[in-house]
Amino acid sequence: MDYFLTEEQKTIKNLARRIAEERILPVRAELDEKEEFPWDIMKDLADSDMFRVFIPEEYDGLGGGCLDLCLVIEELSRVCSGVAICYAATSLGTTALLLYGTEEQKQKYLPDVASGKKLASFAVTEPTAGTDIGAIKTTAEKVSDGYLINGTKQFISNGGEAEIYTVIALTDKSKGARGASALLVEKDTPGFTFGKKENKLGIRASSTRELIFRDCLVPEENLISKEGMGFIITLKVFDHSRPGIGAQAVGIAQGALEAAVDYARQRIQFGHPVIALPAVQIKLADMATQVEAARALIYAVARSIDGGAKNFTEESAMAKVFASDVAMHVTTEAIQVFGGAGYMRDYPVEKMMRDAKITQIYEGTNEVLRETIASELRKRKARRD
Ligand SMILES: Cc1cc2nc3c(=O)[nH]c(=O)nc-3n(C[C@H](O)[C@H](O)[C@H](O)COP(=O)(O)OP(=O)(O)OC[C@H]3O[C@@H](n4cnc5c(N)ncnc54)[C@H](O)[C@@H]3O)c2cc1C
């Protein structure tokens, strides 16, 4: 379908596709097998100005919007979403700064992200606080020369690799969720170390790690916005970033669809390619329809955000839920089209299925996001609009 992208968007998309095919495709199986962080590819993305896409022009970026970012994430994920998420997690890690940071904070951190010199990361999850982010225990106690952070964050993308971390911690334990704040923490700050690196089902090229804070002192100027804004910031960050997870899902599903069509064309059974079989054709037709529907929703939500929509919590959740369910279904069906070969690591579709699963889990599980959508519907019914 022609989405009538601007010339600039087409250029960004084509460049991302070229990097994915020339640089990621030859190494994706090895990165997945070895769980190796793709530093060489991060450098290629930096050299091609891909990190500038989501940074405003005044901080050395290209000033792209949510759709531009989604195009890059989709193209990278079509080949390897493990690599794509290292890029996307950096965008996630700068969103609080972009939305709520002071001019000084932006000037200090964003140009290094734009150039790809520094990766970023966003940390809210803890061992006892996943979906229930209000249960976080990490504290940021106000002291004379800044904030003293203590606690452990779990399952953090780009953990150990990023230089800049947005960390959600309690500045006032007595207020619960209302006492949380967002703080910028640099990698080499004393008292900040990295714990367990997770051994994962999918997106294995990415790093998912524990962050450990023991009397980690950060200066007062590292507070983003005001004390007590931590949860509002977290919710807003995810509203902005969920279309990107949807784009990740669409990219994975597109990659699986293409692989399934190619295989079905060349696999001969009963004297004909299996693509001639109605059962396989119906499967492929449904897969293609679902991928396009998911893409159309992601692009529509991204355009709505770029167009200045004020409240898009519901649409953003819908985009992520729908696209991630499509990715899980389409990758599973792709394996079915491959038959036994699809189950083997010699072909990419089993990796795509493993990679797809996470899109239903992070940045809000699909269960809690369906509750979010339903809650918006309930409010709307009450208002009769
Ligand atoms: C690979 C990976 C990367 C990640 N990257 C990051 C990151 O960069 N930064 C970060 O902060 N976090 C990150 N996370 C954490 C991720 O966001 C959480 O895992 C996710 O929010 C779910 O939390 P949980 O794992 O504790 O599951 P739980 O909250 O324990 O959920 C368990 C089950 O209960 C269900 N459930 C729980 N509460 C509800 C509810 N209210 N309504 C309906 N169902 C519910 C869930 O849907 C799920 O099925 C990452 C996780 C993974 C696996």
Side-chain angles (χ1 to χ4, degrees):
M1 185 152 34
D2 193 337
Y3 289 99
F4 295 98
L5 302 176
T6 63
E7 284 311 310
E8 199 175 7
Q9 286 167 340
K10 284 182 196 162
T11 305
I12 288 170
K13 181 178 160 70
N14 291 339
L15 190 54
R17 177 167 291 213
R18 212 175 74 212
I19 296 169
E21 290 191 341
E22 289 176 6
R23 301 287 293 130
I24 305 177
L25 188 59
V27 294
R28 73 172 167 194
E30 189 186 341
L31 292 173
D32 178 62
E33 185 66 31
K34 294 186 179 163
E35 278 208 299
E36 206 173 283
F37 193 84
W39 272 114
D40 288 351
I41 298 163
M42 292 301 109
K43 184 165 183 323
D44 291 333
L45 292 171
D47 291 345
S48 311
D49 291 336
M50 287 290 123
F51 286 99
R52 297 192 197 279
V53 166
F54 56 85
I55 304 288
E57 288 174 14
E58 53 271 41
Y59 310 106
D60 300 347
L62 291 169
C66 184
L67 180 56
D68 307 69
L69 176 65
C70 284
L71 293 171
V72 178
I73 296 173
E74 180 187 341
E75 286 302 330
L76 299 181
S77 299
R78 176 176 159 269
V79 170
C80 178
S81 73
V83 171
I85 206 63
C86 307
Y87 170 84
T90 289
S91 158
L92 176 72
T94 55
T95 304
L97 197 50
L98 286 166
L99 296 175
Y100 295 94
T102 61
E103 187 53 33
E104 291 72 27
Q105 288 170 337
K106 291 178 185 175
Q107 290 288 358
K108 181 171 177 193
Y109 292 106
L110 293 179
D112 281 345
V113 175
S115 68
K117 193 173 156 202
K118 292 183 177 174
L119 300 186
S121 174
F122 183 79
V124 61
T125 305
E126 298 184 4
T128 54
T131 305
D132 184 8
I133 56 173
I136 64 162
K137 293 194 175 112
T138 298
T139 52
E141 185 196 344
K142 184 91 176 61
V143 290
S144 60
D145 43 357
Y147 291 92
L148 207 52
I149 307 179
N150 277 290
T152 300
K153 295 288 175 186
Q154 190 188 42
F155 300 162
I156 305 306
S157 300
N158 281 355
E161 311 295 337
E163 298 281 335
I164 304 161
Y165 296 79
T166 300
V167 177
I168 307 298
L170 298 173
T171 41
D172 187 344
K173 281 194 282 186
S174 69
K175 289 188 181 158
R178 288 196 184 140
S181 303
L183 292 134
L184 289 159
V185 187
E186 294 179 35
K187 186 180 185 179
D188 52 8
T189 311
F192 178 21
T193 55
F194 302 100
K196 186 180 173 211
K197 184 174 185 250
E198 304 297 338
N199 182 1
K200 305 192 290 289
L201 173 75
I203 58 164
R204 286 168 57 84
S206 71
S207 157
T208 310
R209 206 152 169 194
E210 254 179 2
L211 315 184
I212 300 166
F213 300 96
R214 297 282 176 267
D215 288 338
C216 170
L217 181 68
V218 297
E220 201 172 330
E221 61 263 25
N222 284 22
L223 177 72
I224 300 178
S225 183
K226 291 187 294 206
E227 282 189 18
M229 283 289 286
F231 282 103
I232 291 171
I233 291 175
T234 302
L235 298 179
K236 289 285 176 206
V237 164
F238 287 146
D239 281 353
H240 279 82
S241 63
R242 280 183 188 128
I245 301 296
Q248 182 193 351
V250 169
I252 298 169
Q254 178 67 38
L257 171 66
E258 288 174 25
V261 171
D262 287 350
Y263 186 83
R265 276 204 191 107
Q266 55 90 19
R267 172 69 177 167
I268 307 292
Q269 288 293 278
F270 303 100
H272 299 285
V274 296
I275 201 164
L277 299 167
V280 173
Q281 288 178 4
I282 290 168
K283 233 181 241 316
L284 292 173
D286 284 348
M287 289 158 70
T289 306
Q290 289 170 20
V291 173
E292 208 56 63
R295 179 178 292 117
L297 180 58
I298 300 297
Y299 289 10
V301 172
R303 280 190 162 128
S304 169
I305 295 172
D306 292 340
K310 289 279 171 281
N311 184 1
F312 42 86
T313 300
E314 184 183 0
E315 293 81 356
S316 178
M318 284 174 170
K320 190 264 192 192
V321 167
F322 186 76
S324 59
D325 285 353
V326 163
M328 203 59 231
H329 180 69
V330 166
T331 53
T332 308
E333 288 290 79
I335 293 178
Q336 198 68 19
V337 170
F338 271 71
Y343 203 70
M344 306 303 162
R345 298 225 161 166
D346 303 338
Y347 293 93
V349 284
E350 62 81 32
K351 172 186 180 306
M352 289 165 173
M353 187 189 78
R354 289 187 284 109
D355 286 351
K357 186 62 202 166
I358 191 61
T359 63
Q360 295 180 310
I361 297 173
Y362 56 19
E363 293 198 20
T365 65
N366 283 7
E367 288 77 22
V368 79
L369 290 183
R370 284 190 161 90
E371 286 184 2
T372 302
I373 296 164
S375 133
E376 294 291 323
L377 289 173
R378 278 203 307 273
K379 280 188 225 160
R380 205 182 294 161
K381 189 158 185 290
R383 292 200 308 263
R384 294 187 189 282
D385 59 18

